[in-house]
Amino acid sequence: HVQLVESGGGSVQVGGSLRLSCAVSGYTNMRNCMAWVRQAPGKEREGVAAIDAGGTYTYYTDSVKGRFAISLDSAKNTMNLQMYSLKPEDTAMYYCASDSVILSGRELEASQYTYWGQGTQVTVS
């Protein structure tokens, strides 16, 4: 049973930075593909960034390329999302998601993921 717990959200000014972390526990630990998915009020879930189980391949939605960086820390069983140059449109609840099987090319699709954290709020103003 995989458990995901996010932390690091908060309020920041436009142009500021935040670092989100997702603590992973459970038998699969870091052997899953993992992603950050966000949802703003009244909008659908949006895959923001994803990383493969080995931490070799990363994927980003176009709106965050060059501003966000996803990474794994296998020693600490955590996944991180470093966010720079934040914009008001980045405001959302950010969720950590994980699954052992993700179809190639669909790494940013929220529907691909089975395990989810409770979310952490990011507000940019």
Side-chain angles (χ1 to χ4, degrees), residues 103-114:
L103 296 178
S104 179
R106 302 180 66 176
E107 291 83 3
L108 293 177
E109 294 185 20
S111 61
Q112 290 287 302
Y113 294 89
T114 300

Side-chain angles (χ1 to χ4, degrees), residues 9 12 36 59 61 73 77 88 92-93 123:
V12 65
W36 287 96
Y59 311 87
T61 192
D73 186 338
N77 280 358
M93 185 71 79
T123 303

Side-chain angles (χ1 to χ4, degrees), residues 24-115:
V24 182
S25 61
Y27 70 93
T28 55
N29 289 331
M30 305 306 291
R31 295 197 296 272
N32 284 2
C33 182
M34 301 191 69
W36 287 96
V37 177
R38 66 187 179 187
Q39 187 167 26
K43 295 187 176 181
E44 295 185 353
R45 292 181 302 180
E46 175 190 29
V48 174
I51 190 166
D52 75 310
T56 302
Y57 300 101
T58 57
Y59 311 87
Y60 298 95
T61 192
D62 286 346
S63 63
V64 308
K65 285 180 180 177
R67 299 190 299 121
F68 290 11
I70 190 171
S71 62
L72 293 177
D73 186 338
S74 297
K76 296 181 180 180
N77 280 358
T78 60
M79 175 183 66
N80 302 301
L81 184 69
Q82 180 67 54
M83 305 185 292
Y84 300 101
S85 302
L86 284 161
K87 304 175 180 181
E89 50 264 43
D90 295 318
T91 295
M93 185 71 79
Y94 283 70
Y95 298 91
C96 172
S98 174
D99 207 295
S100 59
V101 180
I102 301 294
L103 296 178
S104 179
R106 302 180 66 176
E107 291 83 3
L108 293 177
E109 294 185 20
S111 61
Q112 290 287 302
Y113 294 89
T114 300
Y115 304 105

